[in-house]
Amino acid sequence: MIANTKEVKDEGFDIKRSAEEVRNLSFKDHICIGCGICESTCPVDAINVAEIGPIVREEVDMPKIDIDEDKCVLCGMCSGLCPVDALDFTIDSEPISNIVSYPHYISSAEIDDDTCIYCQRCEIACPRDSITIARSLPERSDLVTGEIEADEETCIHCGICDEMCPTDAIDVDRTPGEESIEIDKDKCVYCLLCKKICPVDAIKAACRICSYGDYDLNPEDAVTTGSSFIDDETCVKCGWCQEICPVDAAKVKKQYEGTLDIDEDKCTVCGTCIDVCPCDVLSFPESPGPATIVDNIHKDEQYCIHCGACERACPVDAIDVKITNVDYTPTKSKSWIDKFEALKN
Amino acid sequence: MPNHIASGLKYLAAIELKKQGFNQQMIADELDIDRSTVSHYLNGRNLSWNSIEVAKTITNLCPKDFLIMTRTLFKDEQKTRKIVSICKSGDYHAEVTDSCIGCGLCVDLCLMKAVSLDSLKAHINSICCCGCLICQERCPTNSIKILEVNNDREYERS
Amino acid sequence: MELKVNQDNCLGCGVCVVACPVNVSISPDVSGGHGSRTEEVIMMVENGVIKLFSEDKCTKCGTCQMFCPVDAIFLE
């Protein structure tokens, strides 16, 4: 009578129920980080999350999660609690993040364009390649300007400036009787070498940028303009951009606050957690020398989103991730509040 | 034959509306039938008494069977809703607990359109509810309780 | 997903035995490159080829597959 339909696509799948309203749950495999929160959230146990380690290493080719469409009741909880929005839930094509009655995480990543200096450090650091910083530099020819003039009266046409000029902007004709000096302003870079080397001070010149020389000129402003873009689909709000920004233009509000502990006695330093971590929190420590064995995993906890993917993937249960605080928009539904609160363990 | 039974159900609905004080034109409008047919029904000039007997038996089935049987006979959800709401023999009160997750399955399942969602919780209109319990049976979190508060069903004595 | 071995390909090098994090936690001897003294481990080299002992302990992390030079041990 009322049945769900499932459509498997290249990068995930859709589960749909069309009756009084059209409910659609869309899974994006390339966004999923395999944290397993949806599996533990699902009220009808319809979700099964695969072991993520071999999948991210491309040892096996299978979807990260599977949803039994016969069990799924399309309540949208998995989507509401997915920390990275790998599951999109829409009702009549409206995402539930736009529907006030549905709660969602209060999290954000923003770059303030007024403060940003477009250094692109965040773009390079972002572990999910979510940031694009486009910048346009001022035209070099607009900045390299100045004034230059040769005084034919004083010039003795010795040709020293011609020989020294780094850009071949000066042409001195030394043929007796037809002597002349010409300066090509298109080629000149106003380095003032000619002015300094001229034995008879026949060249008057000034550089606009450094205001050095015979004229008093106002330098042009050298302003780099640009724009920043964070792809909200792939961004996991890990905080790399905020940490690395030299001018505090990037601001990140994480979904969770929490702790990450690695039990060094249990850890066998296999590196599975390093492979699964979506935000490059974990790494092998720098080896103190050749042929030395590293015996722990290094963590940069400031980038941790406490998703628990590493805890789930660790083969020897050495990792303990705890969520201590979750921020979400208010809702009247007690069952949804319970699910958000249950994340804290 | 199914058409005769459907007519039997309409007959019962017409009688019931008459009891409630509807005049012939109002009954005709309500049931979407000719006024002359209503007149025939109310004056006892009608189809076979046998069909009415079967129709009466159907209205006395458990609410879920009554609802599904009626839908099968009419093949139209709006007409089904009309007949069932007029001929239903009990009144119901629904309770939805806080464990409701707002999945909307009950909204989609309810043939009587008695359920709506508000703030991620199902709300059941007791006036529309026919007591079929389909929502209660299918609710993934067992959050719905339908209570029968009044019953004037005729039980056959054997 | 299941742990499988292909004994025809296996060189018997034992890299998987020492790489497996579960093995190391069961029998710390193997991390030093020694053979395990217990058959409690997931896999061991026996008669020159790899053999699975307690595959039910495998947590499907895929580390063995990453280190095996000839794809003789893998998840499927």
Side-chain angles (χ1 to χ4, degrees):
Chain A
M1 186 164 53
I2 290 168
N4 297 338
T5 53
K6 188 174 185 178
E7 181 196 347
V8 180
K9 301 182 292 190
D10 281 352
E11 292 233 304
F13 52 78
D14 274 14
I15 293 177
K16 199 185 278 279
R17 180 173 89 218
S18 314
E20 289 295 306
E21 53 195 6
V22 180
R23 291 177 167 238
N24 186 83
L25 178 66
S26 179
F27 174 63
K28 292 176 284 187
D29 199 66
H30 62 294
I31 307 290
C32 176
I33 57 176
C35 64
I37 286 176
C38 52
E39 187 178 65
S40 53
T41 296
C42 180
V44 293
D45 286 332
I47 305 183
N48 185 31
V49 182
E51 287 299 333
I52 205 79
I55 296 176
V56 294
R57 289 202 197 104
E58 296 180 358
E59 289 169 357
V60 290
D61 182 20
M62 60 187 286
K64 292 186 188 119
I65 78 171
D66 184 54
I67 302 182
D68 183 341
E69 77 262 38
D70 294 333
K71 283 189 186 170
C72 177
V73 292
L74 286 149
C75 64
M77 271 185 174
C78 51
S79 167
L81 276 93
C82 177
V84 296
D85 295 334
L87 289 149
D88 272 348
F89 186 64
T90 59
I91 296 178
D92 292 335
S93 305
E94 187 73 19
I96 53 167
S97 51
N98 295 350
I99 304 175
V100 267
S101 57
Y102 283 87
H104 55 84
Y105 293 117
I106 302 174
S107 66
S108 62
E110 280 165 7
I111 295 173
D112 178 11
D113 268 358
D114 292 339
T115 324
C116 180
I117 55 170
Y118 311 105
C119 65
Q120 297 179 334
R121 276 165 67 93
C122 54
E123 179 174 333
I124 296 163
C126 179
R128 305 272 287 177
D129 289 335
S130 305
I131 305 180
T132 315
I133 302 287
R135 67 182 179 195
S136 71
L137 304 178
E139 283 290 318
R140 195 180 279 131
S141 57
D142 288 345
L143 294 169
V144 181
T145 60
E147 296 287 342
I148 189 160
E149 204 180 349
D151 182 3
E152 287 272 5
E153 299 295 311
T154 328
C155 180
I156 54 170
H157 306 100
C158 62
I160 291 175
C161 54
D162 190 349
E163 267 180 60
M164 289 300 286
C165 180
T167 58
D168 274 339
I170 306 180
D171 188 26
V172 179
D173 190 347
R174 301 179 67 190
T175 319
E178 295 171 24
E179 290 137 324
S180 69
I181 176 166
E182 270 178 46
I183 300 172
D184 183 346
K185 288 196 176 179
D186 289 340
K187 286 184 181 170
C188 179
V189 295
Y190 305 95
C191 68
L192 312 188
L193 198 55
C194 50
K195 172 184 156 63
K196 284 185 187 166
I197 204 124
C198 179
V200 292
D201 279 340
I203 296 176
K204 276 178 84 179
C207 166
R208 182 164 275 130
I209 285 290
C210 51
S211 277
Y212 174 82
D214 301 320
Y215 304 91
D216 191 17
L217 302 171
N218 289 324
E220 295 271 339
D221 272 346
V223 182
T224 304
T225 54
S227 63
S228 60
F229 170 73
I230 300 180
D231 183 356
D232 223 31
E233 193 181 27
T234 52
C235 171
V236 296
K237 328 289 187 278
C238 64
W240 267 96
C241 49
Q242 178 175 300
E243 286 287 324
I244 210 147
C245 180
V247 292
D248 290 337
K251 289 273 178 292
V252 174
K253 165 87 181 74
K254 297 188 189 195
Q255 306 84 339
Y256 312 133
E257 286 165 37
T259 56
L260 163 69
D261 288 308
I262 304 174
D263 184 340
E264 290 194 13
D265 294 337
K266 283 188 189 167
C267 175
T268 65
V269 205
C270 68
T272 304
C273 53
I274 299 174
D275 292 336
V276 303
C277 179
C279 28
D280 293 355
V281 170
L282 304 159
S283 57
F284 289 118
E286 224 168 275
S287 177
T292 28
I293 295 169
V294 291
D295 57 359
N296 61 16
I297 297 281
H298 175 75
K299 57 171 184 176
D300 290 303
E301 214 180 317
Q302 68 269 37
Y303 307 126
C304 182
I305 58 169
H306 306 101
C307 67
C310 54
E311 177 175 350
R312 205 173 166 275
C314 178
V316 292
D317 284 334
I319 304 183
D320 184 25
V321 177
K322 278 195 166 62
I323 295 172
T324 53
N325 191 35
V326 189
D327 271 345
Y328 52 96
T329 52
T331 176
K332 286 181 191 159
S333 169
K334 190 172 175 301
S335 54
W336 279 70
I337 293 173
D338 286 348
K339 291 285 180 186
F340 275 97
E341 293 300 322
L343 292 168
K344 303 181 204 166
N345 43 8
Chain B
M1 194 63 187
N3 287 339
H4 290 125
I5 300 170
S7 301
L9 284 166
K10 281 184 189 168
Y11 167 82
L12 293 176
I15 299 291
E16 181 63 33
L17 289 175
K18 179 75 188 164
K19 262 191 235 164
Q20 290 171 19
F22 282 55
N23 67 30
Q24 288 194 4
Q25 185 58 51
M26 283 155 75
I27 294 172
D29 291 346
E30 190 73 9
L31 297 176
D32 192 24
I33 46 180
D34 292 344
R35 194 177 159 176
S36 58
T37 313
V38 177
S39 165
H40 279 259
Y41 283 168
L42 298 180
N43 292 314
R45 288 198 301 274
N46 42 48
L47 32 123
S48 70
W49 287 105
N50 194 15
S51 296
I52 294 170
E53 195 67 29
V54 176
K56 205 169 253 173
T57 310
I58 289 173
T59 60
N60 279 322
L61 291 171
C62 81
K64 184 180 176 182
D65 292 346
F66 170 33
L67 177 69
I68 292 171
M69 194 68 109
T70 308
R71 195 187 56 163
T72 314
L73 288 169
F74 282 91
K75 295 187 179 63
D76 179 297
E77 289 197 8
Q78 206 187 333
K79 284 183 184 157
T80 306
R81 270 196 289 283
K82 189 74 77 183
I83 294 291
V84 171
S85 59
I86 295 168
C87 300
K88 69 175 178 174
S89 45
D91 291 328
Y92 302 90
H93 175 70
E95 282 173 10
V96 182
T97 60
D98 277 348
S99 56
C100 172
I101 53 175
C103 69
L105 195 60
C106 46
V107 180
D108 289 350
L109 287 167
C110 183
L111 285 170
M112 300 301 289
K113 287 191 190 282
V115 194
S116 58
L117 280 185
D118 179 35
S119 300
L120 292 180
K121 194 172 174 186
H123 289 263
I124 302 177
N125 181 344
S126 296
I127 294 165
C128 300
C129 175
C130 72
C132 69
L133 308 186
I134 292 175
C135 55
Q136 180 177 314
E137 285 162 10
R138 292 280 297 274
C139 177
T141 54
N142 288 323
S143 305
I144 303 177
K145 295 276 168 297
I146 304 287
L147 308 169
E148 192 170 38
V149 288
N150 177 35
N151 186 354
D152 50 12
R153 196 176 299 151
E154 296 166 22
Y155 289 100
E156 279 190 24
R157 295 200 183 108
S158 55
Chain C
M1 222 190 278
E2 221 178 309
L3 182 66
K4 297 219 169 130
V5 293
N6 181 345
Q7 293 186 331
D8 293 341
N9 283 2
C10 181
L11 306 172
C13 68
V15 164
C16 53
V17 183
V18 300
C20 172
V22 181
N23 276 1
V24 173
S25 66
I26 294 171
S27 171
D29 301 335
V30 301
S31 65
H34 303 286
S36 169
R37 295 205 192 103
T38 157
E39 293 197 352
E40 297 286 296
V41 291
I42 296 175
M43 76 293 261
M44 247 200 283
V45 178
E46 200 179 71
N47 299 328
V49 285
I50 194 67
K51 194 181 162 203
L52 296 179
F53 285 87
S54 1
E55 53 203 281
D56 50 309
K57 289 179 186 157
C58 175
T59 59
K60 322 279 190 295
C61 69
T63 312
C64 52
Q65 181 173 354
M66 185 166 67
F67 283 101
C68 179
V70 289
D71 291 335
I73 187 159
F74 52 90
L75 290 163
E76 199 175 65

